[in-house]
Amino acid sequence: MNNILITGITGFVGSHMADYLIKHTDYKIFGIKRWMEDTSNIEHLSDESRIELIDGDLLDYASIDRVIKIVKPSKIFHFAAQSFPELSFKNPVITLQTNIIGTTHLLESIKSNDLQPVIVSVSSSEVYGMPKENELPIKESNPIRPANPYSISKVGHDLMS
């Protein structure tokens, strides 16, 4: 089973990962797409037979569980997120739900389906807040200092992962 699942395939990073995987692997690539989501970043892949989009939403456990059952991925690239710090101030609840609960739904479905894929779960440098001068360049050993709802949500995402 050589299936790859990309959450956030329609976003900037997810679409570029799909391009890379098409070029450098022979895996079947599945992407989760929310209903009515803008797919302009991946329109150039519409004729690619190795890519299949499946409707799903990380906030809906049943839809994510359905995706996991269909795909049975051996690798997952988890890029889906509410990724705009400015928006997190306007709607912190959606940011926290998407980034923490959405990640938890994905991981719980993997566990309940008894799968053990390799998972790349992407975070943000925002979790480190404003590092002190002696902490530059930022390393993973830097203290976590989230400074806004977005960075708090990414810390939750990291800890769940």
Side-chain angles (χ1 to χ4, degrees):
M1 151 185 50
N2 286 325
N3 292 337
I4 292 178
L5 177 63
I6 301 175
T7 72
I9 193 169
T10 61
F12 179 79
V13 177
S15 63
H16 284 285
M17 179 57 77
D19 290 336
Y20 178 86
L21 293 169
I22 286 294
K23 190 181 240 179
H24 298 288
T25 74
D26 60 355
Y27 285 70
K28 174 80 176 181
I29 301 158
F30 293 84
I32 297 174
K33 181 185 102 39
R34 288 181 299 174
W35 182 73
M36 298 290 291
E37 189 164 29
D38 178 12
T39 58
S40 58
N41 284 340
I42 57 170
E43 280 177 4
H44 65 285
L45 298 172
S46 62
D47 292 333
E48 177 55 57
S49 64
R50 289 180 31 227
I51 292 208
E52 183 177 334
L53 298 180
I54 302 176
D55 289 330
D57 187 331
L58 288 171
L59 293 179
D60 175 12
Y61 179 82
S63 76
I64 292 308
D65 195 51
R66 179 182 154 272
V67 170
I68 294 299
K69 283 179 165 113
I70 291 169
V71 176
K72 294 180 182 66
S74 58
K75 292 181 175 43
I76 298 175
F77 292 94
H78 179 38
F79 300 124
Q82 188 303 94
S83 56
F84 300 103
E86 322 79 66
L87 184 60
S88 76
F89 287 103
K90 293 178 184 169
N91 203 332
V93 172
I94 292 296
T95 301
L96 294 167
Q97 287 175 329
T98 301
N99 296 349
I100 300 171
I101 301 302
T103 297
T104 304
H105 282 165
L106 177 66
L107 298 172
E108 284 296 302
S109 176
I110 292 163
K111 182 172 80 173
S112 71
N113 284 287
D114 201 28
L115 299 173
Q116 295 185 354
V118 172
I119 303 171
V120 175
S121 191
V122 176
S123 187
S124 167
S125 64
E126 289 279 327
V127 301
Y128 301 107
M130 294 297 295
K132 298 174 183 169
E133 195 169 318
N134 67 336
E135 296 173 335
L136 296 173
I138 296 172
K139 299 180 183 104
E140 288 182 4
S141 58
N142 278 33
I144 293 173
R145 295 186 193 103
N148 57 56
Y150 169 71
S151 58
I152 291 167
S153 77
K154 293 308 280 184
V155 168
H157 161 269
D158 290 353
L159 294 174
M160 290 308 300
S161 296

